[in-house]
Amino acid sequence: MTAASVERTVLTERQALDAAVQVAKAAAEHAAATDRDAVFPAVGVAALREHGLLSAAVPKEYGGHGLDPRTLTRIGARLAGGCAATAMIWAMHQLQVACLARGAASSPEIATALADIAERQLLIASITSEVGVGGDMRRSVAAVQPADDGTVRLTKKATTVSYGEHADGFLVTARSGPDAAPTDQVAVLVMAEHAELERTGDWNPLGMRGTCSPPFTMSATVPAGMVVPEPFGETATRCMVPLSHLLWSGVWTGVAADAVRRAVAYSKIRMRAQLKAGRTQDDPRLGRAYADLRVLQDTVARFADDYAVWDAAQDADTTAMTVRANALKTGVSVDAVRVVEQALEICGMAGYSESGPYSVARHLRDLYSARLMIANGRLELANSELLLLTGDLIQE
Amino acid sequence: MPESATPCEHAVREALAQHSDLGAAAHDLPADGDLYAAGLTSLASVRVMLALEERLSVEIPEERIGRALFSSIAHLTGVLAELTGDRDQAGGRDQAVGAGR
């Protein structure tokens, strides 16, 4: 699973985007089978490793490419044009390494681990979900148990662990100690060799089937230095929440863009046939679909730029960013589906087909996951309350 | 249209006449004249392109599609001649391979 260590150079923005196109091509060839069989997109992830793209979000000082949020978002969108599962796995992994980079600043052990992850292009999954917390990432039942020998023990029953069976390590949330409150959480880096995973359920969903996200119970004993010093609440607010909503939105927009590309190709074929027959029909639907797509793409790009500025200013207001990130996620997750629906109507039965160059069936199924990855209702509820605190957010 | 016009140039002039506002005047335009100056709109150029792709059974690669493609009858004809030439050659090669088996 782990690629041999190779000499890597830092990728420029341009090189990383070009590499993403290459990976998308490789992944696209297997996207249908990945989806049909609900299997891990091994070829796509191998291509990510080969091109060094797994360390895209790792800062240069730890051996990564240190790419900015805008570029990361564009990489995710390009990958999604080939295989949404590969793109989503890449995006989720970037979140883990970005959160670890925050921990690396204050922990030599985490810094060393992150450099190793970048050098060997290791794949990191997250175990944030848990039985008994009702889908609230900011609460844990599991707790870190310190032992006398400088290790900590941890057992967690997770409801979904994406690519859990294929990851080289996990970022796991838990209460900071046996007596800690449910919201007093830390993140722990658990490498696969220190973990025992027991799969406790099936994986046969509607879409994003290649992410392979069944429930697991994980037990681990790790060195105490693998506990990220920063409280997880801070990591979540500063990094995991805004960056996840941004990168996911990039992936979903990329899926929608591929559907519109297919609608363009189909419309060309249809118009050629109409011109041959000597009668063309006015059809504004493609223009409408594109307009909706463009709004999403511009919204995501704007958020990426604003997030970069906010991230650089450590005293920036977190509530404002949380509300915006939540709004981005709930908006794009629903509107991307609407874009693909328009592509479906343009392509007709060729779009409804599960195969062929004009199929948007997988796109549609994949994108229905978007509203559930942290349920939109939960985020809308949070925003409905947070907005009462900060009326300033309404402007601009 | 000059009598020496190639099949590609003939197709281009036909498509311009039928699918753009140039109408029958397309047959008499100089081959190297600026088509946009003559009244071709970008909207009409899409139909011209698709009609030509259909008629000549070629697909103009995306990187060659743009305003410059329609700069003149001669330029458009040149691109299409190249594409149909490539296609015919490819077909020829396929046949040769088939015959060799």
Short mmCIF file of all heavy atoms in Angstrom, two decimals, chain A residues 297-344:
data_model
loop_
_atom_site.label_atom_id
_atom_site.label_comp_id
_atom_site.label_asym_id
_atom_site.label_seq_id
_atom_site.Cartn_x
_atom_site.Cartn_y
_atom_site.Cartn_z
N GLN A 297 -19.03 27.62 -9.59
CA GLN A 297 -17.57 27.67 -9.73
C GLN A 297 -17.02 28.98 -9.17
O GLN A 297 -16.00 28.98 -8.47
CB GLN A 297 -17.17 27.52 -11.21
CG GLN A 297 -17.42 26.11 -11.73
CD GLN A 297 -17.24 25.99 -13.23
OE1 GLN A 297 -17.55 26.92 -13.97
NE2 GLN A 297 -16.74 24.85 -13.69
N ASP A 298 -17.69 30.07 -9.47
CA ASP A 298 -17.21 31.37 -8.98
C ASP A 298 -17.38 31.49 -7.47
O ASP A 298 -16.55 32.09 -6.79
CB ASP A 298 -17.95 32.51 -9.70
CG ASP A 298 -17.50 32.65 -11.15
OD1 ASP A 298 -16.47 32.04 -11.50
OD2 ASP A 298 -18.16 33.34 -11.93
N THR A 299 -18.46 30.93 -6.96
CA THR A 299 -18.70 30.97 -5.51
C THR A 299 -17.60 30.20 -4.77
O THR A 299 -17.08 30.67 -3.76
CB THR A 299 -20.07 30.34 -5.19
OG1 THR A 299 -21.08 31.07 -5.89
CG2 THR A 299 -20.37 30.38 -3.71
N VAL A 300 -17.28 29.03 -5.30
CA VAL A 300 -16.25 28.20 -4.67
C VAL A 300 -14.89 28.91 -4.74
O VAL A 300 -14.15 28.96 -3.75
CB VAL A 300 -16.19 26.81 -5.34
CG1 VAL A 300 -15.00 26.01 -4.83
CG2 VAL A 300 -17.49 26.04 -5.08
N ALA A 301 -14.58 29.49 -5.88
CA ALA A 301 -13.28 30.18 -6.05
C ALA A 301 -13.17 31.37 -5.11
O ALA A 301 -12.14 31.60 -4.48
CB ALA A 301 -13.12 30.62 -7.50
N ARG A 302 -14.25 32.12 -5.00
CA ARG A 302 -14.26 33.29 -4.12
C ARG A 302 -14.06 32.87 -2.66
O ARG A 302 -13.31 33.48 -1.92
CB ARG A 302 -15.59 34.04 -4.31
CG ARG A 302 -15.89 35.10 -3.29
CD ARG A 302 -15.04 36.34 -3.47
NE ARG A 302 -15.13 37.19 -2.29
CZ ARG A 302 -16.05 38.13 -2.08
NH1 ARG A 302 -16.95 38.38 -3.02
NH2 ARG A 302 -16.06 38.83 -0.98
N PHE A 303 -14.74 31.82 -2.27
CA PHE A 303 -14.59 31.33 -0.89
C PHE A 303 -13.14 30.90 -0.65
O PHE A 303 -12.58 31.18 0.41
CB PHE A 303 -15.55 30.17 -0.61
CG PHE A 303 -15.48 29.69 0.82
CD1 PHE A 303 -16.33 30.20 1.77
CD2 PHE A 303 -14.54 28.73 1.21
CE1 PHE A 303 -16.26 29.78 3.09
CE2 PHE A 303 -14.46 28.31 2.53
CZ PHE A 303 -15.33 28.83 3.47
N ALA A 304 -12.56 30.21 -1.64
CA ALA A 304 -11.16 29.74 -1.49
C ALA A 304 -10.23 30.92 -1.23
O ALA A 304 -9.37 30.87 -0.35
CB ALA A 304 -10.73 28.98 -2.74
N ASP A 305 -10.41 31.98 -1.99
CA ASP A 305 -9.54 33.16 -1.83
C ASP A 305 -9.76 33.82 -0.47
O ASP A 305 -8.81 34.20 0.20
CB ASP A 305 -9.81 34.17 -2.96
CG ASP A 305 -9.31 33.64 -4.30
OD1 ASP A 305 -8.52 32.67 -4.29
OD2 ASP A 305 -9.71 34.18 -5.35
N ASP A 306 -11.02 33.95 -0.09
CA ASP A 306 -11.32 34.57 1.20
C ASP A 306 -10.82 33.72 2.36
O ASP A 306 -10.35 34.23 3.38
CB ASP A 306 -12.83 34.82 1.34
CG ASP A 306 -13.31 35.94 0.42
OD1 ASP A 306 -12.46 36.57 -0.24
OD2 ASP A 306 -14.54 36.16 0.35
N TYR A 307 -10.94 32.41 2.20
CA TYR A 307 -10.48 31.50 3.25
C TYR A 307 -8.96 31.63 3.43
O TYR A 307 -8.45 31.63 4.55
CB TYR A 307 -10.86 30.05 2.92
CG TYR A 307 -10.20 29.04 3.82
CD1 TYR A 307 -10.54 28.96 5.17
CD2 TYR A 307 -9.21 28.18 3.33
CE1 TYR A 307 -9.92 28.04 6.01
CE2 TYR A 307 -8.59 27.26 4.17
CZ TYR A 307 -8.95 27.20 5.49
OH TYR A 307 -8.33 26.30 6.32
N ALA A 308 -8.25 31.76 2.31
CA ALA A 308 -6.78 31.89 2.37
C ALA A 308 -6.39 33.14 3.16
O ALA A 308 -5.49 33.09 4.00
CB ALA A 308 -6.19 31.92 0.97
N VAL A 309 -7.08 34.22 2.91
CA VAL A 309 -6.80 35.48 3.61
C VAL A 309 -7.11 35.32 5.10
O VAL A 309 -6.32 35.68 5.97
CB VAL A 309 -7.63 36.64 3.01
CG1 VAL A 309 -7.51 37.89 3.86
CG2 VAL A 309 -7.18 36.90 1.58
N TRP A 310 -8.27 34.72 5.38
CA TRP A 310 -8.71 34.52 6.76
C TRP A 310 -7.75 33.61 7.50
O TRP A 310 -7.38 33.84 8.66
CB TRP A 310 -10.12 33.91 6.73
CG TRP A 310 -10.68 33.54 8.07
CD1 TRP A 310 -11.38 34.34 8.92
CD2 TRP A 310 -10.60 32.24 8.71
NE1 TRP A 310 -11.74 33.63 10.04
CE2 TRP A 310 -11.27 32.35 9.94
CE3 TRP A 310 -10.04 31.03 8.33
CZ2 TRP A 310 -11.41 31.29 10.81
CZ3 TRP A 310 -10.15 29.96 9.21
CH2 TRP A 310 -10.83 30.09 10.44
N ASP A 311 -7.31 32.54 6.84
CA ASP A 311 -6.44 31.56 7.46
C ASP A 311 -5.10 32.18 7.85
O ASP A 311 -4.49 31.81 8.85
CB ASP A 311 -6.22 30.39 6.48
CG ASP A 311 -5.50 29.22 7.13
OD1 ASP A 311 -5.83 28.91 8.30
OD2 ASP A 311 -4.60 28.64 6.50
N ALA A 312 -4.66 33.14 7.05
CA ALA A 312 -3.37 33.79 7.33
C ALA A 312 -3.47 34.75 8.53
O ALA A 312 -2.48 35.03 9.19
CB ALA A 312 -2.88 34.53 6.10
N ALA A 313 -4.67 35.24 8.80
CA ALA A 313 -4.87 36.17 9.93
C ALA A 313 -5.39 35.37 11.12
O ALA A 313 -6.56 35.04 11.19
CB ALA A 313 -5.87 37.25 9.53
N GLN A 314 -4.51 35.05 12.04
CA GLN A 314 -4.88 34.11 13.11
C GLN A 314 -5.92 34.67 14.09
O GLN A 314 -6.55 33.92 14.81
CB GLN A 314 -3.64 33.65 13.85
CG GLN A 314 -2.92 32.51 13.13
CD GLN A 314 -3.81 31.30 12.88
OE1 GLN A 314 -4.44 30.78 13.78
NE2 GLN A 314 -3.90 30.86 11.63
N ASP A 315 -6.10 35.99 14.11
CA ASP A 315 -7.08 36.54 15.05
C ASP A 315 -8.44 36.78 14.37
O ASP A 315 -9.33 37.39 14.95
CB ASP A 315 -6.56 37.85 15.65
CG ASP A 315 -6.24 38.89 14.58
OD1 ASP A 315 -6.17 38.48 13.40
OD2 ASP A 315 -6.08 40.07 14.92
N ALA A 316 -8.59 36.28 13.18
CA ALA A 316 -9.84 36.53 12.45
C ALA A 316 -11.03 35.87 13.15
O ALA A 316 -10.87 34.88 13.86
CB ALA A 316 -9.71 35.99 11.03
N ASP A 317 -12.19 36.41 12.91
CA ASP A 317 -13.41 35.93 13.56
C ASP A 317 -13.79 34.54 13.02
O ASP A 317 -13.98 34.37 11.81
CB ASP A 317 -14.55 36.93 13.29
CG ASP A 317 -15.86 36.45 13.88
OD1 ASP A 317 -15.82 35.59 14.78
OD2 ASP A 317 -16.91 36.93 13.44
N THR A 318 -13.89 33.58 13.93
CA THR A 318 -14.18 32.23 13.49
C THR A 318 -15.66 32.03 13.18
O THR A 318 -16.01 31.25 12.31
CB THR A 318 -13.75 31.19 14.55
OG1 THR A 318 -14.36 31.54 15.79
CG2 THR A 318 -12.25 31.16 14.69
N THR A 319 -16.52 32.74 13.88
CA THR A 319 -17.96 32.54 13.66
C THR A 319 -18.35 32.90 12.23
O THR A 319 -19.07 32.16 11.56
CB THR A 319 -18.79 33.40 14.64
OG1 THR A 319 -18.37 33.11 15.96
CG2 THR A 319 -20.27 33.11 14.50
N ALA A 320 -17.82 34.04 11.78
CA ALA A 320 -18.14 34.48 10.42
C ALA A 320 -17.72 33.43 9.40
O ALA A 320 -18.46 33.12 8.46
CB ALA A 320 -17.47 35.81 10.12
N MET A 321 -16.52 32.86 9.59
CA MET A 321 -16.04 31.87 8.63
C MET A 321 -16.86 30.59 8.71
O MET A 321 -17.17 29.98 7.69
CB MET A 321 -14.55 31.59 8.90
CG MET A 321 -13.91 30.59 7.94
SD MET A 321 -14.27 30.87 6.19
CE MET A 321 -13.30 32.33 5.84
N THR A 322 -17.22 30.18 9.93
CA THR A 322 -18.03 28.97 10.07
C THR A 322 -19.37 29.13 9.35
O THR A 322 -19.80 28.23 8.61
CB THR A 322 -18.29 28.68 11.57
OG1 THR A 322 -17.03 28.50 12.21
CG2 THR A 322 -19.14 27.44 11.75
N VAL A 323 -20.00 30.28 9.55
CA VAL A 323 -21.31 30.50 8.91
C VAL A 323 -21.18 30.48 7.39
O VAL A 323 -21.97 29.85 6.68
CB VAL A 323 -21.92 31.84 9.39
CG1 VAL A 323 -23.15 32.20 8.57
CG2 VAL A 323 -22.30 31.73 10.87
N ARG A 324 -20.14 31.13 6.90
CA ARG A 324 -19.94 31.14 5.44
C ARG A 324 -19.64 29.76 4.88
O ARG A 324 -20.13 29.36 3.84
CB ARG A 324 -18.79 32.09 5.08
CG ARG A 324 -19.25 33.48 4.78
CD ARG A 324 -18.17 34.28 4.12
NE ARG A 324 -17.91 33.88 2.73
CZ ARG A 324 -16.97 34.43 1.98
NH1 ARG A 324 -16.18 35.36 2.48
NH2 ARG A 324 -16.81 34.03 0.74
N ALA A 325 -18.79 29.02 5.61
CA ALA A 325 -18.43 27.67 5.16
C ALA A 325 -19.66 26.76 5.15
O ALA A 325 -19.88 26.00 4.20
CB ALA A 325 -17.34 27.09 6.05
N ASN A 326 -20.47 26.87 6.20
CA ASN A 326 -21.70 26.07 6.25
C ASN A 326 -22.61 26.42 5.07
O ASN A 326 -23.21 25.53 4.45
CB ASN A 326 -22.44 26.33 7.55
CG ASN A 326 -21.74 25.74 8.76
OD1 ASN A 326 -20.79 24.96 8.62
ND2 ASN A 326 -22.19 26.11 9.96
N ALA A 327 -22.72 27.71 4.79
CA ALA A 327 -23.60 28.15 3.70
C ALA A 327 -23.07 27.67 2.35
O ALA A 327 -23.84 27.26 1.48
CB ALA A 327 -23.72 29.68 3.71
N LEU A 328 -21.76 27.71 2.19
CA LEU A 328 -21.17 27.21 0.95
C LEU A 328 -21.54 25.75 0.75
O LEU A 328 -21.99 25.32 -0.31
CB LEU A 328 -19.63 27.35 1.00
CG LEU A 328 -18.90 26.81 -0.23
CD1 LEU A 328 -18.96 27.81 -1.37
CD2 LEU A 328 -17.45 26.46 0.09
N LYS A 329 -21.35 24.98 1.83
CA LYS A 329 -21.58 23.54 1.73
C LYS A 329 -23.04 23.21 1.44
O LYS A 329 -23.35 22.41 0.56
CB LYS A 329 -21.12 22.88 3.03
CG LYS A 329 -21.07 21.36 3.00
CD LYS A 329 -22.39 20.75 3.41
CE LYS A 329 -22.42 19.25 3.14
NZ LYS A 329 -23.70 18.65 3.47
N THR A 330 -23.95 23.83 2.19
CA THR A 330 -25.37 23.49 1.99
C THR A 330 -25.82 23.98 0.59
O THR A 330 -26.59 23.29 -0.07
CB THR A 330 -26.27 24.12 3.07
OG1 THR A 330 -26.08 25.54 3.09
CG2 THR A 330 -25.95 23.55 4.44
N GLY A 331 -25.31 25.11 0.16
CA GLY A 331 -25.71 25.64 -1.15
C GLY A 331 -25.19 24.79 -2.30
O GLY A 331 -25.97 24.32 -3.14
N VAL A 332 -23.89 24.56 -2.31
CA VAL A 332 -23.30 23.83 -3.43
C VAL A 332 -23.79 22.38 -3.48
O VAL A 332 -24.04 21.83 -4.55
CB VAL A 332 -21.75 23.88 -3.37
CG1 VAL A 332 -21.13 23.02 -4.46
CG2 VAL A 332 -21.26 25.32 -3.49
N SER A 333 -23.98 21.78 -2.29
CA SER A 333 -24.37 20.37 -2.27
C SER A 333 -25.72 20.15 -2.95
O SER A 333 -25.95 19.10 -3.55
CB SER A 333 -24.41 19.85 -0.84
OG SER A 333 -25.39 20.55 -0.08
N VAL A 334 -26.59 21.12 -2.87
CA VAL A 334 -27.92 21.00 -3.49
C VAL A 334 -27.89 21.52 -4.94
O VAL A 334 -28.42 20.88 -5.85
CB VAL A 334 -28.97 21.77 -2.66
CG1 VAL A 334 -30.31 21.82 -3.40
CG2 VAL A 334 -29.15 21.11 -1.30
N ASP A 335 -27.22 22.64 -5.14
CA ASP A 335 -27.25 23.25 -6.48
C ASP A 335 -26.45 22.45 -7.51
O ASP A 335 -26.78 22.48 -8.70
CB ASP A 335 -26.74 24.69 -6.40
CG ASP A 335 -27.72 25.59 -5.65
OD1 ASP A 335 -28.88 25.16 -5.46
OD2 ASP A 335 -27.35 26.71 -5.26
N ALA A 336 -25.42 21.75 -7.06
CA ALA A 336 -24.65 20.93 -8.00
C ALA A 336 -25.55 19.82 -8.57
O ALA A 336 -25.46 19.47 -9.76
CB ALA A 336 -23.43 20.33 -7.31
N VAL A 337 -26.42 19.29 -7.73
CA VAL A 337 -27.37 18.27 -8.19
C VAL A 337 -28.29 18.88 -9.26
O VAL A 337 -28.58 18.26 -10.29
CB VAL A 337 -28.21 17.70 -7.02
CG1 VAL A 337 -29.31 16.78 -7.54
CG2 VAL A 337 -27.31 16.97 -6.04
N ARG A 338 -28.72 20.11 -9.02
CA ARG A 338 -29.64 20.76 -9.97
C ARG A 338 -28.96 20.96 -11.32
O ARG A 338 -29.60 20.85 -12.37
CB ARG A 338 -30.10 22.10 -9.41
CG ARG A 338 -30.96 21.91 -8.17
CD ARG A 338 -31.84 23.11 -7.88
NE ARG A 338 -32.70 22.81 -6.75
CZ ARG A 338 -32.80 23.56 -5.66
NH1 ARG A 338 -32.13 24.70 -5.58
NH2 ARG A 338 -33.58 23.21 -4.67
N VAL A 339 -27.68 21.27 -11.29
CA VAL A 339 -26.94 21.42 -12.55
C VAL A 339 -26.93 20.09 -13.31
O VAL A 339 -27.18 20.05 -14.52
CB VAL A 339 -25.49 21.90 -12.29
CG1 VAL A 339 -24.66 21.85 -13.57
CG2 VAL A 339 -25.49 23.31 -11.72
N VAL A 340 -26.66 19.01 -12.59
CA VAL A 340 -26.61 17.71 -13.25
C VAL A 340 -27.99 17.30 -13.74
O VAL A 340 -28.12 16.68 -14.80
CB VAL A 340 -26.00 16.63 -12.32
CG1 VAL A 340 -25.94 15.29 -13.03
CG2 VAL A 340 -24.61 17.04 -11.86
N GLU A 341 -29.02 17.67 -13.00
CA GLU A 341 -30.39 17.38 -13.47
C GLU A 341 -30.65 18.05 -14.82
O GLU A 341 -31.28 17.48 -15.70
CB GLU A 341 -31.41 17.88 -12.45
CG GLU A 341 -31.53 16.98 -11.22
CD GLU A 341 -32.38 17.59 -10.10
OE1 GLU A 341 -32.79 18.77 -10.23
OE2 GLU A 341 -32.62 16.88 -9.12
N GLN A 342 -30.13 19.27 -14.96
CA GLN A 342 -30.31 19.96 -16.24
C GLN A 342 -29.55 19.24 -17.35
O GLN A 342 -30.03 19.11 -18.47
CB GLN A 342 -29.85 21.41 -16.12
CG GLN A 342 -30.73 22.23 -15.17
CD GLN A 342 -30.22 23.66 -15.04
OE1 GLN A 342 -30.33 24.44 -15.97
NE2 GLN A 342 -29.65 23.99 -13.90
N ALA A 343 -28.35 18.78 -17.01
CA ALA A 343 -27.57 18.02 -18.00
C ALA A 343 -28.32 16.74 -18.38
O ALA A 343 -28.34 16.34 -19.55
CB ALA A 343 -26.19 17.68 -17.43
N LEU A 344 -28.95 16.14 -17.39
CA LEU A 344 -29.74 14.92 -17.65
C LEU A 344 -30.87 15.21 -18.64
O LEU A 344 -31.10 14.45 -19.58
CB LEU A 344 -30.31 14.38 -16.33
CG LEU A 344 -31.31 13.22 -16.45
CD1 LEU A 344 -30.59 11.94 -16.88
CD2 LEU A 344 -32.04 12.99 -15.13
#
